[in-house]
Amino acid sequence: MSERVMADFLFEIGLEEVPARMIAGAQAELEQRVVKMLERERLVRLGAVAKSFATPRRLAVWVEDVAEQQEDVAEELVGPSVKVAYKDGVATPAAVAFAKKAGVEVAALKTITNAKGEYLAATSVKAGRGAAEVIAAEMPKELAGIYWAKNMYWRAGRPERFVRPVRWMVAMLGEKTVPVEFGGYVAGSVTYGHRVLFGDAAIGLKAPGKYEDALLGGFVVADVEARRQRIRKALDHVTRTVPGLRWREDHELVDKLTQLTEWPSALLGGFEKEYLALPEEVLVTVMRDHQNYFAVETGSPKTGDGKLAPHFVAVLNTEADEAGVAVIRHGNERVLRARFNDARFFWEFDQRVPLRERVKLLENVTFQKDLGSYAAKAERVRELCKRLASKVEGRGVAVDLNALLDAASLAKTDLTTELVKEFTELQGEVGGLYARAQGISPAACDAIYDQYRPVSMEDRIPRTAEGQLLAIADKADTIAGMFGLGLEPTGSKDPFALRRAANGIVKILGESSVELGLGEISRAAVGGNEELVRKIEVFFAERLEFYLREAKGQAYDVVKAVLAVGADDVRDASARAEAVTAVRGSDDFAAVSSAFKRMKNILTQAREKGISAAGGVNASLLKEPTEKALAEKSAELAEKVKGLRGRRATRRRWRRLLRCGRRWMRSSRR
């Protein structure tokens, strides 16, 4: 391949603005598809150097050293037998047809001998096609294969569907264009810059390697990471204009704004201090989730004593002079002020009806058509909390039962509030804040506030035992109800987020002091339906495997080995996985594993022959001193092993267990 003419390849598809949440996945998939296509068509070496780009209006891929022509491929073909191919020394139609298929003259056919006898053979050479021809034929298929959560038709009479209408395409191999056709457009060498700052002016590209610089001239930062760093620097710069301020770190919002902008800049705005009387959660939600603003705080990030400041930072997809920035700032402040006024009105309006009086209103809020209202769910959760609390209290976990039951009764009442209807992201948190404002016990307030946590494997678990039990009961009730209706997750579909609920239960059990088994939770939530209990236990076991592998980073074989002997106690399973990982490379582990495998094979062979293993050692039958010594040592070590197995696994106990195994093995060899 090194002797062939090589050139860089660039492909870009220009679009109407793509939703931010879809861009990163599509960017990675397009790069993967283009590289694999070029590898499959023998146009690049395996492991080719490639780079992808993305903005709201474009996806692009650059690949280094793409061959301008496929290599010829020689293929050895085997044809009919010599007896069939020739009669009296003259080629038969079978020989002629084979020669035609191979693309050679009959005289060029060879004779080979294989296990079946003598056969005709030929070397067929398939001429390589030009890279432009191959790419033009294959690229539309790769574009059509990109996964989008939602596709659309945008041009009558065209079969193509894509996430947004196509507006232009670029396909260049070196300085030459490649005529890729998709969506009624034929690719060329012209791209477009920022819609506002550069207008409709075209940007002619001279070579793939000039792509990034050309777009910078058109006010577009095509490299995603460069755009992300530009945003972070802009945030730092504008907050430092006021001493003591810093923007509140928010990785998700940075990522979102990176995908919403092509030429980002930032401005610092402010709002009246009187709004700080509202709960911080409300203010931050309005700024972050509704306006894409960063919250600003004072204090040191190292000490964690930051307090919300009456400022915000907005990231813009443009740049403006000082007068323009002032106008934009004023507009953003006016919009934020209106949103804060709404939030303040809802907060004050909701206080007119206390949470305890809202319990009755839950009868009019449907949880699920076959499972009834949220009032019915609250009652089920309350009873489940009572059953779970009775189990954990006997295991050394202190629970304020009155606060827990109070929280269970009030947990869903914030669904009837105007603030949650307006800011649905605050469900649960608003209930906890309202409960605190209405003088309900702190333990109940914290439990209500944390009831939906954790919402992901990265999220924290509820802070208190009451919150942990309420969260477990709420999630378990949902899982039990949906499984009972036959609505369990299938494949990649999980419309009721039951996997997330089970993940939350597993994470709470794994990272708290709550002593509950997954089977106990299943039975407490379901009742006496053993078939349904088994289904839910299998579901929990799958989620436990996910937790150990994804959240704890344990190897696949370690997780399988650990769960093969028990998938009920999450903390124990996690400890066993950590212990196995810590000792699996030791000599003791290898020796004991080998001995265990041998014993297992012996017992398996015995069962196949109908031989039963002895139930114990009959000391009266032992004659030799070594036999008696081995029996004594085995009994001694068996007691130690029994004691170790009765306690939760730790690395230290695993090492002691392995040492017991090695001592037994040494004794058995004497």
PDB file of all heavy atoms in Angstrom, residues 141-174:
ATOM      1  N   LYS A 141     -24.700   4.868   1.819  1.00  0.00           N
ATOM      2  CA  LYS A 141     -25.180   3.764   2.654  1.00  0.00           C
ATOM      3  C   LYS A 141     -24.793   3.997   4.116  1.00  0.00           C
ATOM      4  O   LYS A 141     -25.574   3.724   5.029  1.00  0.00           O
ATOM      5  CB  LYS A 141     -24.602   2.435   2.171  1.00  0.00           C
ATOM      6  CG  LYS A 141     -24.905   2.100   0.725  1.00  0.00           C
ATOM      7  CD  LYS A 141     -24.181   0.818   0.308  1.00  0.00           C
ATOM      8  CE  LYS A 141     -24.298   0.562  -1.179  1.00  0.00           C
ATOM      9  NZ  LYS A 141     -23.509  -0.623  -1.607  1.00  0.00           N
ATOM     10  N   GLU A 142     -23.566   4.483   4.327  1.00  0.00           N
ATOM     11  CA  GLU A 142     -23.118   4.743   5.696  1.00  0.00           C
ATOM     12  C   GLU A 142     -23.915   5.881   6.332  1.00  0.00           C
ATOM     13  O   GLU A 142     -24.266   5.819   7.513  1.00  0.00           O
ATOM     14  CB  GLU A 142     -21.619   5.068   5.708  1.00  0.00           C
ATOM     15  CG  GLU A 142     -20.728   3.989   5.118  1.00  0.00           C
ATOM     16  CD  GLU A 142     -20.866   2.653   5.829  1.00  0.00           C
ATOM     17  OE1 GLU A 142     -21.207   2.645   7.036  1.00  0.00           O
ATOM     18  OE2 GLU A 142     -20.646   1.616   5.185  1.00  0.00           O
ATOM     19  N   LEU A 143     -24.218   6.912   5.564  1.00  0.00           N
ATOM     20  CA  LEU A 143     -25.016   8.017   6.092  1.00  0.00           C
ATOM     21  C   LEU A 143     -26.414   7.539   6.472  1.00  0.00           C
ATOM     22  O   LEU A 143     -26.942   7.886   7.537  1.00  0.00           O
ATOM     23  CB  LEU A 143     -25.123   9.140   5.052  1.00  0.00           C
ATOM     24  CG  LEU A 143     -23.850   9.942   4.789  1.00  0.00           C
ATOM     25  CD1 LEU A 143     -24.070  10.898   3.630  1.00  0.00           C
ATOM     26  CD2 LEU A 143     -23.435  10.717   6.030  1.00  0.00           C
ATOM     27  N   ALA A 144     -27.008   6.725   5.609  1.00  0.00           N
ATOM     28  CA  ALA A 144     -28.359   6.226   5.876  1.00  0.00           C
ATOM     29  C   ALA A 144     -28.393   5.306   7.084  1.00  0.00           C
ATOM     30  O   ALA A 144     -29.435   5.151   7.725  1.00  0.00           O
ATOM     31  CB  ALA A 144     -28.893   5.494   4.649  1.00  0.00           C
ATOM     32  N   GLY A 145     -27.251   4.700   7.422  1.00  0.00           N
ATOM     33  CA  GLY A 145     -27.205   3.749   8.529  1.00  0.00           C
ATOM     34  C   GLY A 145     -26.984   4.367   9.891  1.00  0.00           C
ATOM     35  O   GLY A 145     -27.070   3.673  10.908  1.00  0.00           O
ATOM     36  N   ILE A 146     -26.689   5.670   9.952  1.00  0.00           N
ATOM     37  CA  ILE A 146     -26.454   6.324  11.241  1.00  0.00           C
ATOM     38  C   ILE A 146     -27.727   6.290  12.074  1.00  0.00           C
ATOM     39  O   ILE A 146     -28.818   6.585  11.585  1.00  0.00           O
ATOM     40  CB  ILE A 146     -25.978   7.770  11.054  1.00  0.00           C
ATOM     41  CG1 ILE A 146     -24.606   7.790  10.371  1.00  0.00           C
ATOM     42  CG2 ILE A 146     -25.902   8.505  12.394  1.00  0.00           C
ATOM     43  CD1 ILE A 146     -24.116   9.187  10.043  1.00  0.00           C
ATOM     44  N   TYR A 147     -27.587   5.926  13.347  1.00  0.00           N
ATOM     45  CA  TYR A 147     -28.756   5.860  14.234  1.00  0.00           C
ATOM     46  C   TYR A 147     -29.101   7.253  14.748  1.00  0.00           C
ATOM     47  O   TYR A 147     -28.253   7.986  15.236  1.00  0.00           O
ATOM     48  CB  TYR A 147     -28.496   4.945  15.436  1.00  0.00           C
ATOM     49  CG  TYR A 147     -29.581   5.056  16.479  1.00  0.00           C
ATOM     50  CD1 TYR A 147     -30.803   4.420  16.292  1.00  0.00           C
ATOM     51  CD2 TYR A 147     -29.399   5.841  17.624  1.00  0.00           C
ATOM     52  CE1 TYR A 147     -31.819   4.549  17.221  1.00  0.00           C
ATOM     53  CE2 TYR A 147     -30.415   5.968  18.559  1.00  0.00           C
ATOM     54  CZ  TYR A 147     -31.620   5.318  18.351  1.00  0.00           C
ATOM     55  OH  TYR A 147     -32.625   5.456  19.264  1.00  0.00           O
ATOM     56  N   TRP A 148     -30.374   7.589  14.618  1.00  0.00           N
ATOM     57  CA  TRP A 148     -30.912   8.804  15.213  1.00  0.00           C
ATOM     58  C   TRP A 148     -32.158   8.437  16.009  1.00  0.00           C
ATOM     59  O   TRP A 148     -32.951   7.594  15.571  1.00  0.00           O
ATOM     60  CB  TRP A 148     -31.292   9.828  14.140  1.00  0.00           C
ATOM     61  CG  TRP A 148     -30.154  10.287  13.293  1.00  0.00           C
ATOM     62  CD1 TRP A 148     -29.855   9.863  12.028  1.00  0.00           C
ATOM     63  CD2 TRP A 148     -29.160  11.258  13.630  1.00  0.00           C
ATOM     64  NE1 TRP A 148     -28.741  10.507  11.556  1.00  0.00           N
ATOM     65  CE2 TRP A 148     -28.285  11.376  12.517  1.00  0.00           C
ATOM     66  CE3 TRP A 148     -28.922  12.045  14.764  1.00  0.00           C
ATOM     67  CZ2 TRP A 148     -27.200  12.239  12.515  1.00  0.00           C
ATOM     68  CZ3 TRP A 148     -27.842  12.915  14.748  1.00  0.00           C
ATOM     69  CH2 TRP A 148     -26.996  13.001  13.643  1.00  0.00           C
ATOM     70  N   ALA A 149     -32.352   9.065  17.155  1.00  0.00           N
ATOM     71  CA  ALA A 149     -33.550   8.783  17.951  1.00  0.00           C
ATOM     72  C   ALA A 149     -34.809   9.135  17.164  1.00  0.00           C
ATOM     73  O   ALA A 149     -35.841   8.471  17.288  1.00  0.00           O
ATOM     74  CB  ALA A 149     -33.503   9.567  19.258  1.00  0.00           C
ATOM     75  N   LYS A 150     -34.716  10.175  16.317  1.00  0.00           N
ATOM     76  CA  LYS A 150     -35.829  10.561  15.452  1.00  0.00           C
ATOM     77  C   LYS A 150     -35.273  10.969  14.091  1.00  0.00           C
ATOM     78  O   LYS A 150     -34.310  11.728  14.013  1.00  0.00           O
ATOM     79  CB  LYS A 150     -36.622  11.723  16.059  1.00  0.00           C
ATOM     80  CG  LYS A 150     -37.396  11.363  17.320  1.00  0.00           C
ATOM     81  CD  LYS A 150     -38.214  12.545  17.805  1.00  0.00           C
ATOM     82  CE  LYS A 150     -39.008  12.190  19.058  1.00  0.00           C
ATOM     83  NZ  LYS A 150     -39.812  13.338  19.548  1.00  0.00           N
ATOM     84  N   ASN A 151     -35.892  10.438  13.034  1.00  0.00           N
ATOM     85  CA  ASN A 151     -35.533  10.798  11.666  1.00  0.00           C
ATOM     86  C   ASN A 151     -36.668  11.564  11.016  1.00  0.00           C
ATOM     87  O   ASN A 151     -37.790  11.584  11.519  1.00  0.00           O
ATOM     88  CB  ASN A 151     -35.235   9.533  10.845  1.00  0.00           C
ATOM     89  CG  ASN A 151     -33.778   9.123  10.942  1.00  0.00           C
ATOM     90  OD1 ASN A 151     -32.908   9.967  11.092  1.00  0.00           O
ATOM     91  ND2 ASN A 151     -33.514   7.832  10.869  1.00  0.00           N
ATOM     92  N   MET A 152     -36.393  12.162   9.868  1.00  0.00           N
ATOM     93  CA  MET A 152     -37.438  12.901   9.172  1.00  0.00           C
ATOM     94  C   MET A 152     -37.203  12.880   7.665  1.00  0.00           C
ATOM     95  O   MET A 152     -36.070  12.760   7.187  1.00  0.00           O
ATOM     96  CB  MET A 152     -37.482  14.357   9.662  1.00  0.00           C
ATOM     97  CG  MET A 152     -36.212  15.149   9.372  1.00  0.00           C
ATOM     98  SD  MET A 152     -36.264  16.862   9.973  1.00  0.00           S
ATOM     99  CE  MET A 152     -37.486  17.565   8.893  1.00  0.00           C
ATOM    100  N   TYR A 153     -38.312  12.943   6.910  1.00  0.00           N
ATOM    101  CA  TYR A 153     -38.241  13.242   5.485  1.00  0.00           C
ATOM    102  C   TYR A 153     -38.344  14.753   5.342  1.00  0.00           C
ATOM    103  O   TYR A 153     -39.082  15.409   6.081  1.00  0.00           O
ATOM    104  CB  TYR A 153     -39.419  12.597   4.735  1.00  0.00           C
ATOM    105  CG  TYR A 153     -39.405  11.089   4.703  1.00  0.00           C
ATOM    106  CD1 TYR A 153     -40.269  10.355   5.512  1.00  0.00           C
ATOM    107  CD2 TYR A 153     -38.544  10.404   3.856  1.00  0.00           C
ATOM    108  CE1 TYR A 153     -40.271   8.963   5.480  1.00  0.00           C
ATOM    109  CE2 TYR A 153     -38.539   9.013   3.816  1.00  0.00           C
ATOM    110  CZ  TYR A 153     -39.404   8.303   4.624  1.00  0.00           C
ATOM    111  OH  TYR A 153     -39.395   6.932   4.587  1.00  0.00           O
ATOM    112  N   TRP A 154     -37.624  15.333   4.403  1.00  0.00           N
ATOM    113  CA  TRP A 154     -37.708  16.783   4.260  1.00  0.00           C
ATOM    114  C   TRP A 154     -37.853  17.235   2.808  1.00  0.00           C
ATOM    115  O   TRP A 154     -38.056  18.410   2.542  1.00  0.00           O
ATOM    116  CB  TRP A 154     -36.474  17.458   4.869  1.00  0.00           C
ATOM    117  CG  TRP A 154     -35.208  17.223   4.092  1.00  0.00           C
ATOM    118  CD1 TRP A 154     -34.673  18.013   3.106  1.00  0.00           C
ATOM    119  CD2 TRP A 154     -34.329  16.109   4.205  1.00  0.00           C
ATOM    120  NE1 TRP A 154     -33.521  17.471   2.622  1.00  0.00           N
ATOM    121  CE2 TRP A 154     -33.271  16.290   3.280  1.00  0.00           C
ATOM    122  CE3 TRP A 154     -34.323  14.964   5.004  1.00  0.00           C
ATOM    123  CZ2 TRP A 154     -32.237  15.376   3.139  1.00  0.00           C
ATOM    124  CZ3 TRP A 154     -33.286  14.069   4.855  1.00  0.00           C
ATOM    125  CH2 TRP A 154     -32.253  14.269   3.934  1.00  0.00           C
ATOM    126  N   ARG A 155     -37.776  16.311   1.885  1.00  0.00           N
ATOM    127  CA  ARG A 155     -37.901  16.712   0.481  1.00  0.00           C
ATOM    128  C   ARG A 155     -38.811  15.729  -0.237  1.00  0.00           C
ATOM    129  O   ARG A 155     -38.565  14.519  -0.210  1.00  0.00           O
ATOM    130  CB  ARG A 155     -36.523  16.759  -0.184  1.00  0.00           C
ATOM    131  CG  ARG A 155     -36.563  17.177  -1.643  1.00  0.00           C
ATOM    132  CD  ARG A 155     -35.184  17.387  -2.204  1.00  0.00           C
ATOM    133  NE  ARG A 155     -34.544  18.594  -1.671  1.00  0.00           N
ATOM    134  CZ  ARG A 155     -33.385  19.066  -2.089  1.00  0.00           C
ATOM    135  NH1 ARG A 155     -32.706  18.426  -3.028  1.00  0.00           N
ATOM    136  NH2 ARG A 155     -32.880  20.154  -1.565  1.00  0.00           N
ATOM    137  N   ALA A 156     -39.856  16.215  -0.839  1.00  0.00           N
ATOM    138  CA  ALA A 156     -40.822  15.356  -1.522  1.00  0.00           C
ATOM    139  C   ALA A 156     -40.134  14.579  -2.648  1.00  0.00           C
ATOM    140  O   ALA A 156     -39.312  15.125  -3.400  1.00  0.00           O
ATOM    141  CB  ALA A 156     -41.962  16.204  -2.092  1.00  0.00           C
ATOM    142  N   GLY A 157     -40.482  13.298  -2.728  1.00  0.00           N
ATOM    143  CA  GLY A 157     -39.950  12.465  -3.795  1.00  0.00           C
ATOM    144  C   GLY A 157     -38.581  11.885  -3.515  1.00  0.00           C
ATOM    145  O   GLY A 157     -38.033  11.146  -4.346  1.00  0.00           O
ATOM    146  N   ARG A 158     -38.015  12.209  -2.360  1.00  0.00           N
ATOM    147  CA  ARG A 158     -36.695  11.671  -2.009  1.00  0.00           C
ATOM    148  C   ARG A 158     -36.869  10.590  -0.950  1.00  0.00           C
ATOM    149  O   ARG A 158     -37.644  10.749  -0.009  1.00  0.00           O
ATOM    150  CB  ARG A 158     -35.784  12.762  -1.453  1.00  0.00           C
ATOM    151  CG  ARG A 158     -35.465  13.884  -2.415  1.00  0.00           C
ATOM    152  CD  ARG A 158     -34.646  13.446  -3.595  1.00  0.00           C
ATOM    153  NE  ARG A 158     -33.445  12.726  -3.200  1.00  0.00           N
ATOM    154  CZ  ARG A 158     -32.522  12.296  -4.063  1.00  0.00           C
ATOM    155  NH1 ARG A 158     -32.658  12.519  -5.363  1.00  0.00           N
ATOM    156  NH2 ARG A 158     -31.459  11.644  -3.641  1.00  0.00           N
ATOM    157  N   PRO A 159     -36.132   9.461  -1.067  1.00  0.00           N
ATOM    158  CA  PRO A 159     -36.287   8.373  -0.095  1.00  0.00           C
ATOM    159  C   PRO A 159     -35.489   8.577   1.191  1.00  0.00           C
ATOM    160  O   PRO A 159     -35.738   7.908   2.186  1.00  0.00           O
ATOM    161  CB  PRO A 159     -35.756   7.157  -0.862  1.00  0.00           C
ATOM    162  CG  PRO A 159     -34.704   7.733  -1.778  1.00  0.00           C
ATOM    163  CD  PRO A 159     -35.234   9.095  -2.176  1.00  0.00           C
ATOM    164  N   GLU A 160     -34.506   9.487   1.174  1.00  0.00           N
ATOM    165  CA  GLU A 160     -33.615   9.615   2.321  1.00  0.00           C
ATOM    166  C   GLU A 160     -34.341  10.190   3.537  1.00  0.00           C
ATOM    167  O   GLU A 160     -35.181  11.082   3.421  1.00  0.00           O
ATOM    168  CB  GLU A 160     -32.419  10.522   1.990  1.00  0.00           C
ATOM    169  CG  GLU A 160     -31.489   9.960   0.943  1.00  0.00           C
ATOM    170  CD  GLU A 160     -31.877  10.377  -0.459  1.00  0.00           C
ATOM    171  OE1 GLU A 160     -32.968  10.977  -0.624  1.00  0.00           O
ATOM    172  OE2 GLU A 160     -31.110  10.112  -1.381  1.00  0.00           O
ATOM    173  N   ARG A 161     -33.965   9.658   4.687  1.00  0.00           N
ATOM    174  CA  ARG A 161     -34.430  10.191   5.970  1.00  0.00           C
ATOM    175  C   ARG A 161     -33.190  10.533   6.790  1.00  0.00           C
ATOM    176  O   ARG A 161     -32.201   9.813   6.759  1.00  0.00           O
ATOM    177  CB  ARG A 161     -35.293   9.171   6.711  1.00  0.00           C
ATOM    178  CG  ARG A 161     -36.523   8.727   5.966  1.00  0.00           C
ATOM    179  CD  ARG A 161     -37.257   7.632   6.717  1.00  0.00           C
ATOM    180  NE  ARG A 161     -37.875   8.133   7.935  1.00  0.00           N
ATOM    181  CZ  ARG A 161     -37.883   7.485   9.097  1.00  0.00           C
ATOM    182  NH1 ARG A 161     -37.289   6.309   9.209  1.00  0.00           N
ATOM    183  NH2 ARG A 161     -38.474   8.006  10.161  1.00  0.00           N
ATOM    184  N   PHE A 162     -33.257  11.625   7.507  1.00  0.00           N
ATOM    185  CA  PHE A 162     -32.119  12.016   8.338  1.00  0.00           C
ATOM    186  C   PHE A 162     -32.657  12.819   9.508  1.00  0.00           C
ATOM    187  O   PHE A 162     -33.835  13.172   9.570  1.00  0.00           O
ATOM    188  CB  PHE A 162     -31.117  12.840   7.515  1.00  0.00           C
ATOM    189  CG  PHE A 162     -29.679  12.586   7.890  1.00  0.00           C
ATOM    190  CD1 PHE A 162     -29.119  11.332   7.749  1.00  0.00           C
ATOM    191  CD2 PHE A 162     -28.880  13.607   8.386  1.00  0.00           C
ATOM    192  CE1 PHE A 162     -27.793  11.091   8.088  1.00  0.00           C
ATOM    193  CE2 PHE A 162     -27.555  13.378   8.727  1.00  0.00           C
ATOM    194  CZ  PHE A 162     -27.018  12.113   8.574  1.00  0.00           C
ATOM    195  N   VAL A 163     -31.791  13.115  10.469  1.00  0.00           N
ATOM    196  CA  VAL A 163     -32.236  13.795  11.679  1.00  0.00           C
ATOM    197  C   VAL A 163     -32.755  15.198  11.379  1.00  0.00           C
ATOM    198  O   VAL A 163     -33.722  15.667  11.977  1.00  0.00           O
ATOM    199  CB  VAL A 163     -31.102  13.839  12.730  1.00  0.00           C
ATOM    200  CG1 VAL A 163     -29.920  14.653  12.224  1.00  0.00           C
ATOM    201  CG2 VAL A 163     -31.608  14.389  14.055  1.00  0.00           C
ATOM    202  N   ARG A 164     -32.107  15.890  10.446  1.00  0.00           N
ATOM    203  CA  ARG A 164     -32.507  17.230  10.024  1.00  0.00           C
ATOM    204  C   ARG A 164     -32.222  17.372   8.523  1.00  0.00           C
ATOM    205  O   ARG A 164     -31.409  16.625   7.971  1.00  0.00           O
ATOM    206  CB  ARG A 164     -31.736  18.308  10.805  1.00  0.00           C
ATOM    207  CG  ARG A 164     -32.151  18.446  12.265  1.00  0.00           C
ATOM    208  CD  ARG A 164     -33.570  18.976  12.389  1.00  0.00           C
ATOM    209  NE  ARG A 164     -33.955  19.209  13.773  1.00  0.00           N
ATOM    210  CZ  ARG A 164     -34.539  18.327  14.567  1.00  0.00           C
ATOM    211  NH1 ARG A 164     -34.768  17.099  14.105  1.00  0.00           N
ATOM    212  NH2 ARG A 164     -34.879  18.640  15.793  1.00  0.00           N
ATOM    213  N   PRO A 165     -32.862  18.319   7.855  1.00  0.00           N
ATOM    214  CA  PRO A 165     -32.615  18.489   6.420  1.00  0.00           C
ATOM    215  C   PRO A 165     -31.141  18.747   6.101  1.00  0.00           C
ATOM    216  O   PRO A 165     -30.466  19.507   6.798  1.00  0.00           O
ATOM    217  CB  PRO A 165     -33.479  19.711   6.067  1.00  0.00           C
ATOM    218  CG  PRO A 165     -34.563  19.711   7.097  1.00  0.00           C
ATOM    219  CD  PRO A 165     -33.924  19.219   8.353  1.00  0.00           C
ATOM    220  N   VAL A 166     -30.678  18.104   5.036  1.00  0.00           N
ATOM    221  CA  VAL A 166     -29.307  18.320   4.567  1.00  0.00           C
ATOM    222  C   VAL A 166     -29.258  19.631   3.791  1.00  0.00           C
ATOM    223  O   VAL A 166     -30.172  19.948   3.024  1.00  0.00           O
ATOM    224  CB  VAL A 166     -28.860  17.143   3.666  1.00  0.00           C
ATOM    225  CG1 VAL A 166     -27.468  17.401   3.092  1.00  0.00           C
ATOM    226  CG2 VAL A 166     -28.869  15.841   4.466  1.00  0.00           C
ATOM    227  N   ARG A 167     -28.194  20.382   3.985  1.00  0.00           N
ATOM    228  CA  ARG A 167     -28.055  21.660   3.298  1.00  0.00           C
ATOM    229  C   ARG A 167     -26.825  21.730   2.393  1.00  0.00           C
ATOM    230  O   ARG A 167     -26.790  22.505   1.453  1.00  0.00           O
ATOM    231  CB  ARG A 167     -28.022  22.801   4.322  1.00  0.00           C
ATOM    232  CG  ARG A 167     -29.375  23.036   5.005  1.00  0.00           C
ATOM    233  CD  ARG A 167     -30.381  23.524   3.986  1.00  0.00           C
ATOM    234  NE  ARG A 167     -31.729  23.680   4.555  1.00  0.00           N
ATOM    235  CZ  ARG A 167     -32.756  22.933   4.238  1.00  0.00           C
ATOM    236  NH1 ARG A 167     -32.611  21.946   3.366  1.00  0.00           N
ATOM    237  NH2 ARG A 167     -33.944  23.165   4.760  1.00  0.00           N
ATOM    238  N   TRP A 168     -25.799  20.972   2.668  1.00  0.00           N
ATOM    239  CA  TRP A 168     -24.634  20.889   1.789  1.00  0.00           C
ATOM    240  C   TRP A 168     -23.809  19.683   2.187  1.00  0.00           C
ATOM    241  O   TRP A 168     -24.002  19.101   3.264  1.00  0.00           O
ATOM    242  CB  TRP A 168     -23.785  22.162   1.865  1.00  0.00           C
ATOM    243  CG  TRP A 168     -22.963  22.297   3.125  1.00  0.00           C
ATOM    244  CD1 TRP A 168     -21.718  21.790   3.355  1.00  0.00           C
ATOM    245  CD2 TRP A 168     -23.341  22.979   4.324  1.00  0.00           C
ATOM    246  NE1 TRP A 168     -21.282  22.093   4.624  1.00  0.00           N
ATOM    247  CE2 TRP A 168     -22.265  22.833   5.244  1.00  0.00           C
ATOM    248  CE3 TRP A 168     -24.463  23.692   4.714  1.00  0.00           C
ATOM    249  CZ2 TRP A 168     -22.305  23.389   6.516  1.00  0.00           C
ATOM    250  CZ3 TRP A 168     -24.494  24.244   5.985  1.00  0.00           C
ATOM    251  CH2 TRP A 168     -23.427  24.084   6.870  1.00  0.00           C
ATOM    252  N   MET A 169     -22.887  19.271   1.321  1.00  0.00           N
ATOM    253  CA  MET A 169     -21.942  18.203   1.638  1.00  0.00           C
ATOM    254  C   MET A 169     -20.586  18.524   1.029  1.00  0.00           C
ATOM    255  O   MET A 169     -20.501  19.146  -0.037  1.00  0.00           O
ATOM    256  CB  MET A 169     -22.433  16.847   1.103  1.00  0.00           C
ATOM    257  CG  MET A 169     -23.575  16.244   1.891  1.00  0.00           C
ATOM    258  SD  MET A 169     -23.862  14.502   1.477  1.00  0.00           S
ATOM    259  CE  MET A 169     -24.249  14.641  -0.262  1.00  0.00           C
ATOM    260  N   VAL A 170     -19.559  18.092   1.710  1.00  0.00           N
ATOM    261  CA  VAL A 170     -18.180  18.191   1.227  1.00  0.00           C
ATOM    262  C   VAL A 170     -17.594  16.790   1.214  1.00  0.00           C
ATOM    263  O   VAL A 170     -17.728  16.051   2.197  1.00  0.00           O
ATOM    264  CB  VAL A 170     -17.325  19.098   2.134  1.00  0.00           C
ATOM    265  CG1 VAL A 170     -15.851  19.057   1.707  1.00  0.00           C
ATOM    266  CG2 VAL A 170     -17.852  20.526   2.117  1.00  0.00           C
ATOM    267  N   ALA A 171     -16.973  16.415   0.107  1.00  0.00           N
ATOM    268  CA  ALA A 171     -16.246  15.145   0.031  1.00  0.00           C
ATOM    269  C   ALA A 171     -15.020  15.392  -0.832  1.00  0.00           C
ATOM    270  O   ALA A 171     -15.144  15.666  -2.033  1.00  0.00           O
ATOM    271  CB  ALA A 171     -17.111  14.038  -0.560  1.00  0.00           C
ATOM    272  N   MET A 172     -13.841  15.317  -0.228  1.00  0.00           N
ATOM    273  CA  MET A 172     -12.594  15.612  -0.938  1.00  0.00           C
ATOM    274  C   MET A 172     -11.564  14.535  -0.653  1.00  0.00           C
ATOM    275  O   MET A 172     -11.365  14.135   0.504  1.00  0.00           O
ATOM    276  CB  MET A 172     -12.040  16.971  -0.508  1.00  0.00           C
ATOM    277  CG  MET A 172     -12.952  18.149  -0.783  1.00  0.00           C
ATOM    278  SD  MET A 172     -12.206  19.720  -0.259  1.00  0.00           S
ATOM    279  CE  MET A 172     -10.853  19.853  -1.441  1.00  0.00           C
ATOM    280  N   LEU A 173     -10.937  14.049  -1.711  1.00  0.00           N
ATOM    281  CA  LEU A 173      -9.793  13.154  -1.611  1.00  0.00           C
ATOM    282  C   LEU A 173      -8.605  13.919  -2.152  1.00  0.00           C
ATOM    283  O   LEU A 173      -8.471  14.095  -3.374  1.00  0.00           O
ATOM    284  CB  LEU A 173     -10.038  11.869  -2.406  1.00  0.00           C
ATOM    285  CG  LEU A 173      -8.986  10.772  -2.243  1.00  0.00           C
ATOM    286  CD1 LEU A 173      -8.876  10.331  -0.784  1.00  0.00           C
ATOM    287  CD2 LEU A 173      -9.303   9.579  -3.133  1.00  0.00           C
ATOM    288  N   GLY A 174      -7.776  14.400  -1.250  1.00  0.00           N
ATOM    289  CA  GLY A 174      -6.753  15.331  -1.669  1.00  0.00           C
ATOM    290  C   GLY A 174      -7.410  16.614  -2.145  1.00  0.00           C
ATOM    291  O   GLY A 174      -8.298  17.162  -1.495  1.00  0.00           O
TER     292      GLY A 174
END
